[in-house]
Amino acid sequence: MKLSGREARRFCAAPDMALVGALLHGPDDGLIALCRGELVATVTEGDDLRLTRLEGDAARRDPAAIDEALRARGFFPGRRSVVIADAKDTLAKPLHAILDGVTAEEAFLVVEGGSLGARSPLRRLFEGDRRLAALGLYPQAPGAGELREGLEAAGMAQGLDDDAMAELTAAAAELDAGAVQQLIEKIAIFSLDAERALSAGEMRALLPQARDADLDRLLEAVAGGAVAEVGPLIGRLSAGGVAPVRIMIAIGGHFRRLLTVASAGGGAEQALGRLRPPVFGTRRDAMMRQVRRWGAPRLERAVRMIFEADRTLRSPGDRPDQAIVERTLIRLALMV
C-alpha cells in the first residue's frame, strides 16, 4: 500500500493495526524521525519495553535477527514494535522472505529507508503488499488546522488569536518538521497558566531566530543580487545559533514560493494573492519585484540549485556546511 503527503502523516499518528509493517522514506531525516516516533509510540502505547531497535547493516548481515525480533513474546501485554534504522535496498530480499509468514499478531515492523527512488526494491516490497504500507514523507508546510491540532495535543487549551495563528503559520513554512514540533511544545509550555488566547506580539516573541530581521535581509540580499551582503549576513545568523540547514530551508521555501507565483496562470498578482500563508505589505511588494526580476526559467534553475545544496547538507559525513551555504547563496545572488 502506498501513502504520501498528509495521508502518510495521518497513518503515523493513527496506524492501521491490521497491517504488519510500514516503510518510512523521504529526503528529510528529521521528518522521518518525527513520524517514526509517533508511529512507534502509538503501536507500543509509549512502552519502551515493547520496542526492539535494529541497525540496517547488522540486520542485513543477520536476517534471522529480524525474524526473531518480530516473533518474540514480551513479558508485558500489548503489541510490540521492531524498528530497522537506516535500511538499504539490499534488505528487500531477506525482508520479503521473513514478512511472508508474519501476521498482525506479531510485532509491527517499522523500516526507516531514507531517500529511495521510485524503482527501489524496498519501496516496491512495501507498496506492492496489502499487509504493508510505504509512507512517502516529504517536507510540507503545515496548515493552520494541523498546527491547532498539534497545539491541542501538546496540552494548549486557550489557543491563538487569528493574528497569532497567521504568524505561526508563516513561521512554520520556513522550518523543518522537527523545529515546528519544538516550537509547538514551547508555545504550549509558555501558555500553561494563560487565561486567554495568545496574541500576535506574544507569538513573535516565541518564534525562533530564523524569523528575525537578519534572515529577512538575507532573503532580500540573495533574491536582489546584493552579493556583498550575503557572507556577512550568514555569519551573523550562524553566530546567533541559526544552523546552515535552517538557512537553506528558509531560502528554499522563499524561492519555491517565487517560482509558484512566476509559473502560475492568470498573472503574478493573482497568484501572489492566492499564496498561503498570505503575504502583505512591504513583503508582498518585495516578492513581486523579485518575481519580475527573476522570471520562471531562472527561478526553476535556482530551486534546483537549492535542492542539490540542501541534499548535500542532509547527507551523512563531515562537511563545511556554512561554506556550502555561503557558496550556494552567492551563486544565486550572481544569477540576478
Side-chain angles (χ1 to χ4, degrees):
M1 179 170 59
K2 180 179 179 181
L3 299 174
S4 61
R6 301 198 186 282
E7 279 188 327
R9 293 297 305 274
R10 281 195 291 270
F11 183 95
C12 290
D16 182 351
M17 299 300 284
L19 303 185
V20 299
L23 167 69
L24 279 56
H25 68 92
D28 191 331
D29 292 341
L31 180 56
I32 288 177
L34 183 67
C35 290
R36 182 250 302 145
E38 290 178 342
L39 182 53
V40 169
T42 303
V43 172
T44 64
E45 298 174 306
D47 185 354
D48 289 341
L49 296 176
R50 287 156 55 185
L51 170 63
T52 301
R53 185 176 177 87
L54 304 173
E55 292 300 324
D57 288 339
R60 178 183 55 79
R61 290 192 297 268
D62 183 18
I66 307 173
D67 189 54
E68 182 181 343
L70 287 171
R71 299 179 189 278
R73 290 290 181 264
F75 291 106
F76 303 96
R79 195 166 182 188
R80 298 172 52 256
S81 181
V82 176
V83 174
I84 301 179
D86 195 24
K88 302 294 190 297
D89 281 325
T90 50
L91 201 58
K93 189 173 181 180
L95 271 182
H96 183 273
I98 292 167
L99 291 171
D100 190 47
V102 173
T103 69
E105 301 302 316
E106 268 92 33
F108 190 96
L109 178 66
V110 180
V111 179
E112 296 181 57
S115 187
L116 300 173
R119 297 177 180 273
S120 159
L122 206 51
R123 277 185 60 176
R124 288 185 173 185
L125 169 63
F126 279 79
E127 290 174 356
D129 193 324
R130 292 182 180 179
R131 302 173 308 133
L132 303 171
L135 311 181
L137 301 168
Y138 302 94
Q140 187 175 15
E146 191 174 344
L147 291 169
R148 285 193 183 92
E149 290 175 4
L151 289 167
E152 289 173 5
M156 183 180 185
Q158 299 80 10
L160 313 174
D161 66 25
D162 292 343
D163 291 338
M165 179 53 72
E167 289 282 348
L168 177 58
T169 305
E174 296 178 0
L175 301 174
D176 60 29
V180 171
Q181 185 60 35
Q182 290 177 356
L183 178 57
I184 285 173
E185 292 170 359
K186 180 180 177 181
I187 294 167
I189 292 171
F190 175 83
S191 62
L192 278 176
D193 298 324
E195 297 179 355
R196 55 171 178 76
L198 259 64
S199 67
E202 291 168 321
M203 178 57 62
R204 281 192 291 271
L206 293 170
L207 295 179
Q209 288 179 305
R211 285 287 297 159
D212 68 12
D214 281 341
L215 185 57
D216 286 339
R217 283 197 288 270
L218 179 60
L219 294 175
E220 178 67 30
V222 173
V227 179
E229 297 178 22
V230 172
L233 285 168
I234 291 175
R236 198 179 312 171
L237 285 164
S238 297
V242 181
V245 69
R246 184 68 57 77
I247 295 174
M248 287 305 301
I249 288 170
I251 292 289
H254 184 70
F255 272 81
R256 285 193 297 273
R257 299 184 90 195
L258 292 178
L259 178 59
T260 297
V261 173
S263 305
E269 285 283 357
Q270 290 185 18
L272 196 56
R274 291 194 298 268
L275 281 182
R276 293 294 178 272
V279 183
F280 301 108
T282 57
R283 190 168 291 185
R284 179 189 176 97
D285 296 338
M287 284 191 71
M288 182 55 67
R289 287 195 304 271
Q290 292 161 11
V291 166
R292 289 169 177 162
R293 178 179 293 165
W294 280 79
R298 275 196 296 178
L299 284 169
E300 188 172 342
R301 293 199 300 273
V303 168
R304 286 202 190 99
M305 188 189 303
I306 293 167
F307 174 78
E308 291 298 329
D310 188 62
R311 186 168 63 178
T312 300
L313 290 174
R314 294 171 189 270
S315 63
D318 295 328
R319 301 166 307 276
D321 289 357
Q322 186 169 329
I324 291 171
V325 171
E326 186 168 345
R327 183 169 64 247
T328 302
L329 299 196
I330 288 174
R331 287 176 63 197
L332 287 170
L334 287 170
M335 287 175 67
V336 180

